[in-house]
Amino acid sequence: MALGVNGEETSNDPVGPFQKSQATNNMAVRSDENEEEEEEDDGEDDEPRLKYASLTKSQGPVYRNGDATSAFLVAGDKMIIGTHNGNIHVLQLPSFQSLRSYRPHSASITGVSISPFPPPLPTVKSEVLSRASAEPRSLPVRTPALQDAVSPSVKSPRQLNVPATPANSIHIGTSSIDGNVCVSSLIDSKDVLLRNFGRPIQAVAISPEYKNDRSYISGGLAGNLVLTTGGRPGTSSTSNITGGAAATASGWLGTIGLATNNGNDTVLHSGEGSISAIKWSLSGNYIVWVNEQGIKIMRSNLHLESSETDFAWKRISHIDRPSLPGWEEMAGLWKARLDWIDEDGLEIDDEDSAVFDLSEVKNGGATSISSTDVPSAKPAAESKRVEKLMVGWGGTIWIINVQPGGTGAGKDGGERKIGLVEIVTILRTDCIISGVSLYTPKLLLILAYVTPEDNQKKRDSNPQQDTPRRGVHRRQNALQPEMRIIDIATKEEVCVADTLRVSRYQSLSATDYHLGVLPLVKSSTKVITQRGALEVIGGIGGGLWDVTRDATMYPTRLFSSAASVRSSGSNSDLQSGKSTAGLTADINVATFRGQGAHPDIMTRGMKIFIQSPYDCVLATKPTVGDHLSWLEVHEKYEEAWNLIDVHPEAVSSIPEKVTDSSPGTPTKAQASLVDFFADDSSQTTSSQTRNFNSQAEKEKRRLGEKWLHQLVKNRDWTRAGQVAGKTLGTSSSWEHWVWVFAEANKFKEITPYIPTVQLQPPLPSSIYEVILGHYISHDRPRLNEVLEIWPPELFEVRTVIARIEGKLKVGDVREDTTEDGVVGKDWRMLMNSLAKLYLADGRAKDALRCYIKLQDADAAMRLIGDYRLVEAISDDLPGLILLRISKEQQKSAPLTELEEASIEPIRLLVDEAHHGTVRPDTVIAQLENRAGMLPYLFFYLRALWNGDTYTAPTSPDPEHPSPKSVNLAATEGKSLVNDHADLAVSLFAEYDRTLFFTFLKSSQSYTLENASTICDSRQYIPELVYLLAKEGRTKKALSIIIDNIADVSQAIAFAKEQDDPDLWDDLLDYSMNKPSFIRGLLEEVGTSINPITLVRRIPEGLEIEGLRQGLSRMIREYELQDSISEGVACVLRGEVVMGMKTLRTGQKRGVKFDIVHQARPASRHSNINHKHPKERPKVIKPGHCAGCGDAFFEDAIVTVTEKQTLVGYPCAHIFHLSCLLTYTTENNDLPDDEGDTPSTRDGSIGPKIRHASQLKGKIGGCPVNVHKEEKA
């Protein structure tokens, strides 16, 4: 469907293409406003598949001197344009910098071909760029022969030499109606061939390996498919198949070896009418051409195995033209459009793409889909070998698969096939095909030439589209071209056709339009990087490319981030000056910086170029920014908001309005070839911190406001509340929308999403207070929930407290009112909310009173434990204890249940008793005289006695307190219970007999008479016996044991415990008339009483069962006791003997003592030599040495050096130490006396220790007595 055709004649100025809605197409303004509105209404629900931009101004030099384009080719980073004046313009993409312009022909150019195809992408090396930038500007060099062949009226402009980079190392072949074919190198102006075929040439295809084999194929009106090989560069020659004299002479001279190398022509096919198109396949294995009879495919001479050399230039298949009306006359006039498809370079089908599918986007919205994700009808191994061909001819489209041949089957078994051609689909359209290609694996892209007759037929088939035009009507020879997208499977258009508005379309034919496609380049991996200005080189020589990758076909990009196209450049990289590539890059960037690339050409994905004689239009897939704009215009605010949330870069990529009056200047810092050839699916944008003031966040808030307005307008308050929580970000917007909801009484819808953290500036507290006030009056359950979520800092707590207290005072909400069948439901909720607010206001005691009224034990106990509030409620301890106990439980619950329910407050009171906060007197006073509280008083006293204190839940181990703390608490608790011992006795006897007996044994504070009375009344016999024994009434106690218990073992144990002989007599007296007691005494009394006495007291004639056994046991026990006694006595005797021996030995041992002498002049004793003593005295006198006979004097006149140690014995014998040693041994080598060593005078202890060790063992008993004993 056309978007409107302007019937007026247009000027020479080119105008841009036109899309189907004003939101997505700003290229032109329609003059008919009513028609525009109608068209917008028709297409407002369909988002355009493509967006268009005019590139006419970027091709300004092409249209110089009124020239118009006649041939067009785009590949790699080059755009090659042929004109009707015979000029060739080679432009660098994306900057549209003119690399080279020359005029190889004198008439219209009909075809353009390059080798290799597709050309390698730029891989610029720094040293190459440096050499290229250093070369002086000069005119291209022409050889004389070629100069003569070119019209002399055309002058070549001054231009830079093209750098010899791999991307620029291509050959360009052109054909013209002047009968010439020209093949020229882009980088070497001398490498050029011009060959004349004598008839107009309509198509040329140079070999993908032209650099090596110097061959190309051409064809035209003559109907010959000619293979030309060889030729001398820089020369002009005539084909040897023209039949002219020159050709004949060249052939004759060649036979004798005198001809120059002007090349050789071979006719591969002829005789089926003019040839309109020729093209090599991407692999170079096949050649397709179209003549008036149909489509032909042959095998080339490239990539043949040794066994397949005969297949070269052999035709594989022929497809007849359609046998439809008009084809006979128009087959030679309609130009066939051929396109070998690079399936890896297609866009992704919408159902397989995640570009705008927000539910599938992960990791910040960057999704990469590799080429293997594209669905294929054939297995991967087979699809790699199959080449897909698109042919558009007339109104018919063929989709053909060409694959290598194999061994035949059936009657052709064993015969090897050249190849196999399969027609996949044939589509017939209502237009003439001016260009065809694949857009996605499932969608077909058609440049349709529509004639008035075709348009009328279309209108007749769809009367609703026949809208009369206003204004002046002129006769039209042709209509505006259309871009159509067709589903291959259904063979129907997937969207409304886009009408392209081009200049002078009325006079143009189908052959005047050309469609060129640059496939997208897919990366194998995602690369996240931040790039600077060095990476955006897009001038002469292209951008920076990874030189380590294979650049022959479609190499992986070195830079795959979109960050640089939005950055302001990296000044540090440009200013460093350390890189030669950086210097060269600066020169190249300066070359085209002022010219700039059109912003739409820098978008990623497939680039579709539509070329007419006077215009160039670029079609690309809409960017995420385009999608965002379309969504906003069509009020799809939810999708727009979600799109920005996942793709924040969409905001910065929103397209600005671009008119055709000026060349597009990118808003990006610099454009690069890397971005030009990048594809969306393989890109990962640089991560950006989403701050509050970022452009994306601001746009989200703006769209969120619109979204909210839309929902409120539709009365969808629930969804509006959810959206408000997602989209609103400022306090002013929140305040506005909360009041909007409040005025509509939609508190429930907005409350869950109101911010619970303070904004900057903060929201007014009145916002929150109004909402809380509403819930106080109308929704108390929700009030509790909100107070749990909202921090008290958001509102004035006391204002809300006053509101609740007022509500309770009014009386319409009471403890006995019924709501929803529950008594006191709202009252409890208001009290609970009030308690929370009291806590928030620091009024813990008031909060505790609320919880006690609510009987919320958990909250009350937690509050008491955290704030130590027991003292605050010490006047109502029964209420504290009964927190978890209902009235029904008090009446009928067993003691264990009551204990479990009250254990926590009981332990808390015990803990407070230890701290002295709430004394036991206070607890007893409130519980003792209150009905039904005695069990709890018992629990309290028992816990106090056992030391069961309260442990806060926040303590390190509340379940297992330390034993030391438990023992300490128990000790202190016992002393507290002893102060109320009689009360404890009565309660323990009532509720815990075991504890009662333990208390009787442990405590000395209770009254014995009271305890005995209790035991007697309750028939607690063991306890009564214990008390009677404690009072000294052992006979009565024994009598109770015998009469009431009749347990001889207990009676014997009691008698043994008292150890009273009279008690044993009483036991015997009580037992004599009881045979069982007598037997028990015989068996168990042991040695406690005389067995003879026991036996004698047994009455004669009394029959005692088991008497023999009793006596035997008693006798054995006595024998055992006697044996043990003898053994013990023997052991004692041995120990006594050893003790006596030790005593005697000790008594015999001498005692060493020192005598302190005063220094005196030397005397007669000075010459005494103790190592040679005198003879032993015959009579030992008192006071004399028993060894030498010398007397001891207290003031003996000796020198300091003659001090002697004395050794005395219990027998009164005293020796000089030296005399003692000589008395017992004949060894003259005696140790020196310790007093004689100089070291002793120095106070050293070492010599003393050595001296003592030497003397040990030599000093035993008195040697005099030993000598006497030996003689005796």
Side-chain angles (χ1 to χ4, degrees):
M1 181 189 72
L3 292 182
V5 179
N6 189 350
E8 299 181 0
E9 195 72 35
T10 59
S11 62
N12 291 336
D13 294 334
V15 293
F18 202 83
Q19 287 182 312
K20 55 190 172 184
S21 87
Q22 186 67 26
T24 55
N25 176 26
N26 296 315
M27 298 302 302
V29 178
R30 302 192 47 181
S31 60
D32 194 335
E33 296 180 358
N34 294 334
E35 185 175 347
E36 180 181 20
E37 294 176 358
E38 293 175 3
E39 297 297 339
E40 288 181 357
D41 292 340
D42 292 338
E44 63 180 355
D45 295 331
D46 296 329
E47 185 174 3
R49 291 296 188 104
L50 297 172
K51 71 169 184 175
Y52 300 89
S54 175
L55 303 179
T56 305
K57 286 296 184 181
S58 301
Q59 299 177 352
V62 176
Y63 306 105
R64 188 180 289 119
N65 299 325
D67 204 355
T69 61
S70 60
F72 175 80
L73 184 143
V74 60
D77 63 334
K78 305 294 187 299
M79 178 183 286
I80 305 171
I81 301 173
T83 69
H84 283 290
N85 288 343
N87 296 316
I88 289 292
H89 301 273
V90 183
L91 305 180
Q92 171 82 48
L93 296 178
S95 64
F96 288 94
Q97 177 75 25
S98 178
L99 292 180
R100 188 179 177 193
S101 296
Y102 60 98
R103 188 185 182 195
H105 302 282
S106 59
S108 298
I109 296 176
T110 57
V112 179
S113 177
I114 65 170
S115 175
F117 183 87
L121 292 180
T123 55
V124 178
K125 296 184 180 180
S126 59
E127 63 269 21
V128 176
L129 280 177
S130 298
R131 290 198 300 269
S133 61
E135 292 179 1
R137 297 171 181 250
S138 61
L139 289 172
V141 179
R142 293 181 181 271
T143 60
L146 185 56
Q147 183 69 31
D148 295 339
V150 179
S151 174
S153 63
V154 178
K155 296 183 179 180
S156 298
R158 294 182 61 87
Q159 52 190 318
L160 293 175
N161 284 345
V162 180
T165 63
N168 293 335
S169 298
I170 62 174
H171 287 80
I172 303 171
T174 58
S175 62
S176 173
I177 61 175
D178 63 3
N180 292 326
V181 172
C182 179
V183 181
S184 175
S185 171
L186 178 61
I187 61 176
D188 186 2
S189 58
K190 296 180 181 180
D191 185 4
V192 58
L193 291 175
L194 186 65
R195 196 169 187 85
N196 182 268
F197 289 87
R199 294 287 300 276
I201 302 298
Q202 293 183 318
V204 63
I206 62 176
S207 169
E209 298 182 3
Y210 179 84
K211 185 176 180 180
N212 299 322
D213 59 19
R214 295 285 172 167
S215 62
Y216 60 87
I217 298 176
S218 60
L221 296 182
N224 297 324
L225 184 69
V226 181
L227 170 65
T228 303
T229 307
R232 185 159 56 92
T235 63
S236 176
S237 60
T238 303
S239 172
N240 54 20
I241 64 171
T242 58
T248 304
S250 176
W252 176 75
L253 292 174
T255 58
I256 62 176
L258 298 178
T260 59
N261 182 18
N262 290 330
N264 182 43
D265 298 318
T266 304
V267 177
L268 300 177
H269 183 270
S270 63
E272 293 187 357
S274 62
I275 296 173
S276 60
I278 308 171
K279 198 164 188 177
W280 292 72
S281 68
L282 297 178
S283 66
N285 293 338
Y286 310 104
I287 301 170
V288 60
W289 76 98
V290 179
N291 56 27
E292 295 182 19
Q293 299 301 317
I295 305 168
K296 275 76 174 175
I297 301 174
M298 71 164 49
R299 183 66 167 89
S300 71
N301 65 338
L302 300 180
H303 313 135
L304 290 172
E305 298 179 2
S306 58
S307 60
E308 298 175 339
T309 55
D310 294 339
F311 293 167
W313 313 118
K314 294 297 180 64
R315 193 171 71 181
I316 300 175
S317 177
H318 165 77
I319 302 173
D320 290 328
R321 70 186 184 195
S323 300
L324 298 175
W327 272 89
E328 185 70 28
E329 299 82 8
M330 301 301 296
L333 299 178
W334 287 332
K335 184 177 179 66
R337 310 295 178 159
L338 308 176
D339 190 16
W340 293 92
I341 302 300
D342 177 11
E343 295 187 78
D344 291 335
L346 301 178
E347 290 284 0
I348 307 301
D349 286 306
D350 289 345
E351 58 268 25
D352 302 320
S353 177
V355 176
F356 302 136
D357 186 2
L358 303 179
S359 63
E360 299 295 331
V361 177
K362 298 180 181 178
N363 300 326
T367 304
S368 177
I369 303 177
S370 64
S371 59
T372 58
D373 295 329
V374 180
S376 176
K378 295 182 179 296
E382 182 181 355
S383 62
K384 291 181 179 179
R385 302 174 59 192
V386 175
E387 297 195 62
K388 188 178 293 293
L389 171 64
M390 304 286 297
V391 179
W393 189 17
T396 305
I397 299 172
W398 291 264
I399 301 177
I400 303 170
N401 285 343
V402 182
Q403 53 186 329
T407 304
K411 64 178 182 179
D412 297 327
E415 181 181 353
R416 189 169 180 81
K417 300 288 185 179
I418 302 175
L420 178 62
V421 174
E422 176 188 3
I423 301 176
V424 179
T425 304
I426 299 178
L427 295 95
R428 291 184 172 84
T429 66
D430 58 354
C431 63
I432 299 175
I433 307 300
S434 292
V436 65
S437 185
L438 269 184
Y439 182 56
T440 72
K442 298 179 181 179
L443 298 180
L444 190 63
L445 198 64
I446 298 176
L447 177 59
Y449 177 81
V450 183
T451 61
E453 294 79 7
D454 296 332
N455 191 57
Q456 185 61 41
K457 292 178 182 179
K458 188 174 183 180
R459 289 179 180 273
D460 293 340
S461 62
N462 189 2
Q464 295 180 357
Q465 297 183 0
D466 189 6
T467 303
R469 298 181 179 275
R470 298 179 181 180
V472 180
H473 293 265
R474 291 194 177 99
R475 180 179 178 275
Q476 298 179 357
N477 296 324
L479 301 179
Q480 291 170 297
E482 295 179 354
M483 183 64 71
R484 300 179 181 179
I485 300 177
I486 298 177
D487 189 307
I488 298 176
T490 62
K491 299 183 181 181
E492 295 179 356
E493 295 185 25
V494 297
C495 60
V496 179
D498 296 334
T499 300
L500 307 175
R501 189 171 181 183
V502 296
S503 300
R504 311 178 193 179
Y505 62 87
Q506 298 90 341
S507 60
L508 301 181
S509 65
T511 58
D512 290 326
Y513 296 101
H514 304 275
L515 179 68
V517 175
L518 279 182
L520 58 82
V521 181
K522 290 185 177 293
S523 291
S524 59
T525 58
K526 296 182 184 179
V527 181
I528 302 177
T529 180
Q530 193 71 23
R531 298 176 295 169
L534 291 181
E535 301 161 79
V536 295
I537 302 172
I540 298 177
L544 292 177
W545 292 81
D546 188 355
V547 297
T548 62
R549 303 293 184 99
D550 180 14
T552 302
M553 293 298 288
Y554 287 86
T556 300
R557 299 182 313 280
L558 175 61
F559 309 107
S560 61
S561 172
S564 67
V565 298
R566 294 187 207 95
S567 66
S568 58
S570 175
N571 293 331
S572 59
D573 290 342
L574 292 175
Q575 295 173 358
S576 63
K578 296 182 180 180
S579 172
T580 306
L583 294 175
T584 307
D586 192 24
I587 296 173
N588 289 333
V589 170
T591 303
F592 68 97
R593 177 173 293 172
Q595 300 176 9
H598 194 285
D600 287 334
I601 202 172
M602 295 310 302
T603 59
R604 288 164 182 78
M606 179 183 288
K607 315 291 189 305
I608 304 165
F609 296 87
I610 301 99
Q611 185 76 36
S612 76
Y614 311 106
D615 297 280
C616 182
V617 177
L618 172 67
T620 56
K621 184 177 182 178
T623 64
V624 65
D626 300 315
H627 182 57
L628 177 62
S629 298
W630 186 88
L631 291 174
E632 182 178 359
V633 169
H634 289 79
E635 298 183 356
K636 298 178 182 295
Y637 301 120
E638 178 178 5
E639 297 179 37
W641 192 93
N642 291 330
L643 180 64
I644 299 178
D645 189 52
V646 177
H647 295 280
E649 70 276 7
V651 177
S652 59
S653 63
I654 294 177
E656 300 179 357
K657 292 186 178 181
V658 181
T659 62
D660 198 42
S661 59
S662 61
T665 301
T667 58
K668 305 158 182 147
Q670 195 54 257
S672 71
L673 290 174
V674 179
D675 299 322
F676 175 65
F677 287 104
D679 63 287
D680 285 330
S681 62
S682 63
Q683 287 294 315
T684 303
T685 58
S686 59
S687 60
Q688 301 174 356
T689 303
R690 297 187 182 182
N691 54 61
F692 182 79
N693 294 319
S694 67
Q695 187 178 0
E697 292 301 315
K698 290 179 180 179
E699 186 68 12
K700 283 171 65 178
R701 291 195 292 272
R702 186 184 67 83
L703 290 173
E705 294 271 354
K706 291 188 174 183
W707 188 4
L708 276 175
H709 278 289
Q710 185 183 63
L711 293 172
V712 170
K713 181 180 178 181
N714 297 332
R715 314 305 294 174
D716 189 355
W717 294 99
T718 302
R719 182 59 176 155
Q722 298 172 356
V723 171
K726 291 173 56 177
T727 61
L728 298 182
T730 61
S731 55
S732 59
S733 60
W734 267 112
E735 183 178 4
H736 166 74
W737 283 105
V738 170
W739 286 121
V740 170
F741 277 78
E743 291 173 359
N745 198 26
K746 300 297 181 181
F747 293 92
K748 180 180 178 181
E749 287 76 8
I750 192 62
T751 301
Y753 310 103
I754 294 180
T756 57
V757 295
Q758 287 286 8
L759 301 177
Q760 293 297 330
L763 271 175
S765 61
S766 58
I767 294 291
Y768 299 94
E769 293 163 11
V770 167
I771 296 175
L772 291 174
H774 170 78
Y775 288 139
I776 290 172
S777 301
H778 302 93
D779 193 349
R780 283 88 187 203
R782 184 60 179 158
L783 175 65
N784 275 319
E785 296 175 6
V786 171
L787 290 177
E788 287 287 346
I789 299 172
W790 286 1
E793 296 81 10
L794 298 176
F795 51 88
E796 290 292 337
V797 176
R798 295 187 179 180
T799 302
V800 183
I801 289 176
R803 185 73 178 269
I804 296 178
E805 289 176 343
K807 189 69 177 176
L808 292 173
K809 289 178 182 179
V810 170
D812 57 344
V813 179
R814 299 187 306 276
E815 189 174 0
D816 56 351
T817 56
T818 302
E819 295 84 18
D820 299 333
V822 180
V823 178
K825 176 182 177 182
D826 283 359
W827 177 84
R828 294 183 63 83
M829 290 181 179
L830 285 179
M831 289 294 295
N832 188 52
S833 300
L834 189 60
K836 294 176 183 176
L837 293 171
Y838 279 144
L839 279 178
D841 197 31
R843 299 160 63 180
K845 293 182 180 179
D846 293 334
L848 179 59
R849 291 190 182 94
C850 292
Y851 286 131
I852 290 177
K853 290 181 181 179
L854 292 170
Q855 284 195 309
D856 189 346
D858 293 333
M861 296 307 299
R862 182 174 61 253
L863 204 60
I864 292 171
D866 293 343
Y867 293 91
R868 311 290 302 181
L869 295 177
V870 175
E871 187 179 5
I873 56 169
S874 58
D875 56 343
D876 187 19
L877 296 180
L880 174 64
I881 294 174
L882 297 176
L883 273 175
R884 299 183 188 272
I885 303 173
S886 63
K887 294 181 180 180
E888 291 76 11
Q889 286 179 305
Q890 294 182 45
K891 295 178 181 178
S892 59
L895 193 66
T896 54
E897 184 178 341
L898 296 177
E899 178 185 2
E900 183 179 357
S902 62
I903 186 171
E904 191 174 2
I906 292 294
R907 288 182 176 180
L908 181 62
L909 290 175
V910 171
D911 187 56
E912 296 300 325
H914 288 301
H915 288 88
T917 307
V918 181
R919 300 296 299 176
D921 300 338
T922 304
V923 179
I924 292 172
Q926 294 190 33
L927 300 183
E928 185 177 14
N929 298 322
R930 185 164 177 174
M933 297 304 296
L934 287 180
Y936 309 104
L937 183 57
F938 158 69
F939 297 150
Y940 172 72
L941 293 176
R942 183 182 62 178
L944 200 62
W945 176 266
N946 294 330
D948 295 339
T949 58
Y950 174 77
T951 304
T954 56
S955 62
D957 191 1
E959 298 295 332
H960 304 88
S962 63
K964 184 177 180 180
S965 62
V966 173
N967 294 334
L968 183 62
T971 301
E972 185 179 357
K974 286 180 173 61
S975 66
L976 294 175
V977 174
N978 284 331
D979 295 340
H980 307 276
D982 290 334
L983 177 62
V985 165
S986 62
L987 291 176
F988 292 166
E990 177 71 22
Y991 297 107
D992 192 342
R993 183 176 177 181
T994 303
L995 180 61
F996 170 65
F997 200 7
T998 302
F999 182 75
L1000 292 178
K1001 293 179 180 179
S1002 303
S1003 177
Q1004 304 297 329
S1005 302
Y1006 57 88
T1007 304
L1008 291 175
E1009 293 79 2
N1010 180 43
S1012 298
T1013 302
I1014 292 175
C1015 293
D1016 192 15
S1017 63
R1018 294 181 177 275
Q1019 290 298 305
Y1020 290 170
I1021 302 302
E1023 292 83 353
L1024 182 59
V1025 170
Y1026 171 77
L1027 291 174
L1028 291 174
K1030 192 173 183 178
E1031 293 177 8
R1033 300 161 62 183
T1034 55
K1035 290 185 178 181
K1036 184 176 181 180
L1038 183 62
S1039 174
I1040 292 174
I1041 293 174
I1042 295 174
D1043 295 337
N1044 295 349
I1045 302 178
D1047 187 350
V1048 64
S1049 299
Q1050 186 174 350
I1052 294 171
F1054 179 75
K1056 288 181 179 180
E1057 182 180 354
Q1058 301 299 320
D1059 195 19
D1060 185 1
D1062 296 336
L1063 193 63
W1064 281 109
D1065 291 339
D1066 294 339
L1067 177 60
L1068 292 176
D1069 292 339
Y1070 288 135
S1071 303
M1072 286 303 101
N1073 58 352
K1074 299 179 179 60
S1076 60
F1077 267 63
I1078 295 174
R1079 180 183 174 183
L1081 287 171
L1082 292 174
E1083 292 179 351
E1084 299 183 18
V1085 73
T1087 59
S1088 298
I1089 59 176
N1090 191 345
I1092 297 176
T1093 303
L1094 174 60
V1095 172
R1096 286 178 177 175
R1097 297 192 60 174
I1098 298 175
E1100 294 183 3
L1102 180 65
E1103 183 177 354
I1104 301 173
E1105 184 179 356
L1107 178 62
R1108 182 188 299 273
Q1109 292 84 355
L1111 291 174
S1112 300
R1113 182 173 178 178
M1114 183 179 65
I1115 293 171
R1116 285 197 303 272
E1117 188 172 344
Y1118 266 90
E1119 290 178 352
L1120 179 62
Q1121 186 67 30
D1122 182 65
S1123 175
I1124 293 174
S1125 299
E1126 289 182 0
V1128 171
C1130 181
V1131 171
L1132 289 176
R1133 285 195 296 272
E1135 290 182 354
V1136 169
V1137 170
M1138 292 185 65
M1140 293 299 296
K1141 184 177 180 181
T1142 302
L1143 176 62
R1144 288 194 296 270
T1145 301
Q1147 289 176 346
K1148 291 180 181 180
R1149 186 176 295 278
V1151 178
K1152 173 185 174 182
F1153 58 92
D1154 296 330
I1155 299 177
V1156 180
H1157 300 278
Q1158 295 181 356
R1160 298 291 179 85
S1163 64
R1164 61 184 180 87
H1165 296 284
S1166 304
N1167 296 326
I1168 295 177
N1169 187 353
H1170 292 283
K1171 292 192 177 183
H1172 300 282
K1174 298 185 294 182
E1175 295 181 359
R1176 302 172 183 171
K1178 295 181 180 180
V1179 179
I1180 301 174
K1181 300 178 180 180
H1184 290 73
C1185 176
C1188 64
D1190 291 340
F1192 303 117
F1193 296 96
E1194 185 176 356
D1195 56 348
I1197 303 174
V1198 294
T1199 63
V1200 175
T1201 58
E1202 293 178 344
K1203 292 187 298 182
Q1204 279 288 309
T1205 299
L1206 302 182
V1207 179
Y1209 290 95
C1211 58
H1213 295 148
I1214 302 175
F1215 293 86
H1216 291 104
L1217 178 60
S1218 57
C1219 295
L1220 176 64
L1221 295 175
T1222 57
Y1223 198 97
T1224 59
T1225 180
E1226 299 298 332
N1227 185 10
N1228 295 328
D1229 188 13
L1230 299 175
D1232 294 330
D1233 188 13
E1234 60 177 336
D1236 295 338
T1237 60
S1239 61
T1240 59
R1241 295 190 290 269
D1242 296 337
S1244 176
I1245 195 173
K1248 293 182 179 182
I1249 295 175
R1250 289 193 299 272
H1251 190 74
S1253 64
Q1254 292 174 351
L1255 294 179
K1256 187 178 181 180
K1258 295 185 178 182
I1259 300 177
C1262 179
V1264 176
N1265 294 335
V1266 172
H1267 185 65
K1268 288 181 179 180
E1269 292 175 358
E1270 290 177 353
K1271 287 184 176 181

